[in-house]
Amino acid sequence: MENGVLQPTKKETPQGGNLSPLLSNIMLNELDKELEARGLNFVRYADDCLIMVKSEKAANSVMESITKKLGLKVNVEKSKVARPDDIKYLGF
């Protein structure tokens, strides 16, 4: 705000900042709804999400369809289809 007038900001919210989890929850609410509608088991904190399915084929299908349907930007370096033993989530 400048002189009582709201001005657009040119900066993004920093990752890990106080607002980051809140904004992620708002933006990814549609992801939650879609996964629930499909009856999939998942866990999500802010922008970190694990979706559990029964096979690698199903995992690849879900990954592709979710990103296309919701238009989500997925970090391909961090995102992968893997077995639970091969995943580190929130420090565990």
Side-chain angles (χ1 to χ4, degrees):
M1 188 169 292
E2 208 170 290
N3 295 326
V5 178
L6 186 62
Q7 300 292 323
T9 181
K10 293 181 174 87
K11 293 183 179 181
E12 297 177 357
T13 303
Q15 185 174 3
N18 294 341
L19 287 178
S20 186
L22 173 64
L23 294 175
S24 292
N25 283 329
I26 292 169
M27 292 298 297
L28 293 175
N29 186 48
E30 291 302 314
L31 172 63
D32 295 347
K33 288 180 182 178
E34 181 65 25
L35 295 174
E36 288 170 357
R38 292 182 184 200
L40 296 174
N41 294 311
F42 69 98
V43 60
R44 184 175 66 77
Y45 176 77
D47 63 348
D48 291 331
C49 183
L50 292 179
I51 304 169
M52 285 70 73
V53 295
K54 293 183 179 184
S55 71
E56 185 176 350
K57 183 178 179 181
N60 288 319
S61 176
V62 168
M63 174 92 86
E64 182 179 343
S65 65
I66 289 294
T67 55
K68 284 183 180 178
K69 181 171 184 171
L70 299 176
L72 298 173
K73 290 182 182 178
V74 176
N75 184 333
V76 293
E77 293 176 7
K78 292 182 176 180
S79 301
K80 63 183 175 182
V81 170
R83 295 193 151 296
D85 294 344
D86 299 332
I87 296 173
K88 187 173 183 179
Y89 183 68
L90 297 177
F92 293 99

